[in-house]
Amino acid sequence: MSIVAENLHWGVKRKAIVSDVSLSAAPGETLGLIGPNGSGKSSLLRLLAGLRKPQSGRVEVNGRDIAQVPRRALSRQVAFVQQNAATDTNVSVRDVVRLGRTPHRSALSGWSATDESAVAAALESVDMTARRSQPWQTLSGGERQRVHIARALAQTPQVMFLDEPTNHLDIHHQIEILRMVRDLDLTSVIALHDLNLAAMFCDRIVVLDAGSVRACGTPDVVLTQELLRDVFRVTADISASPDAGRPHIRFRAG
């Protein structure tokens, strides 16, 4: 499914958090959102996912304005993985992932083989099958994040929005999660802090600065020394990596 956002604006009181943002993601594309803290990445993701209503502008998924799509129908197409999801309920890993099937089931429908298959596939995708019966409260922060990604996958969405999905994960699972998301047959928009991970796994990158789009394009075009200096206030050397010529950033100390 394609995603198109046109002239999105959202703010609190008189402060603009997202300002006149337009972007698009093609079917099957992995689009990265990067920017300094406070640049509007999380707010923009919520606007794109329909979790927040823009004060002006519109978002279309597959050519249809999401403001006109019923919430339940939208939830069958779109999944959202937030930064620090939490629950105080004493449930198992499998129970958390089962919640991803809610949009596909009516109040009177029983648990089906399709539901069970979706949950099993989601757990396997994030390497949590062996922990499926483990209590949620006993998981580490990184393990909980992987379970929430599995819950989103259990929705079998066509579009996935992920807000810092690699937070709390060790480097092995950061790479595995992003590789998995990139290889899924769906459209993904991912907010990331790690610029090298964005360069490795995103087809294109949107750079946000103070709520506005500063640059958009392929990683090799967007990630320049000048942009890193002006937007992120860092000095770095950039070279082409062996991975299809994608840029590798080496930050300078001092």
Side-chain angles (χ1 to χ4, degrees), residues 109-182:
S109 64
W111 189 254
S112 70
T114 300
D115 295 324
E116 190 62 38
S117 177
V119 169
L123 285 167
E124 184 176 358
S125 293
V126 299
D127 193 25
M128 290 295 287
T129 300
R131 304 285 187 94
R132 61 187 180 276
S133 299
Q134 186 168 329
W136 164 261
Q137 300 292 351
T138 65
L139 299 179
S140 68
E143 289 167 339
R144 292 184 183 189
Q145 186 69 343
R146 286 156 62 193
V147 172
H148 278 291
I149 293 172
R151 182 175 69 175
L153 291 175
Q155 286 179 235
T156 58
Q158 294 173 289
V159 178
M160 185 181 294
F161 298 98
L162 303 100
D163 192 4
E164 299 292 346
T166 57
N167 271 5
H168 309 300
L169 299 181
D170 58 50
I171 187 62
H172 168 74
H173 283 108
Q174 287 181 36
I175 291 172
E176 287 301 309
I177 287 292
L178 292 176
R179 180 181 291 121
M180 175 200 70
V181 172
R182 181 194 62 187

Side-chain angles (χ1 to χ4, degrees), residues 50-65:
L51 299 177
R52 181 170 285 157
K53 184 178 179 180
Q55 291 162 345
S56 61
R58 57 188 279 148
V59 178
E60 293 183 354
V61 173
N62 229 29
R64 188 175 181 188
D65 188 340

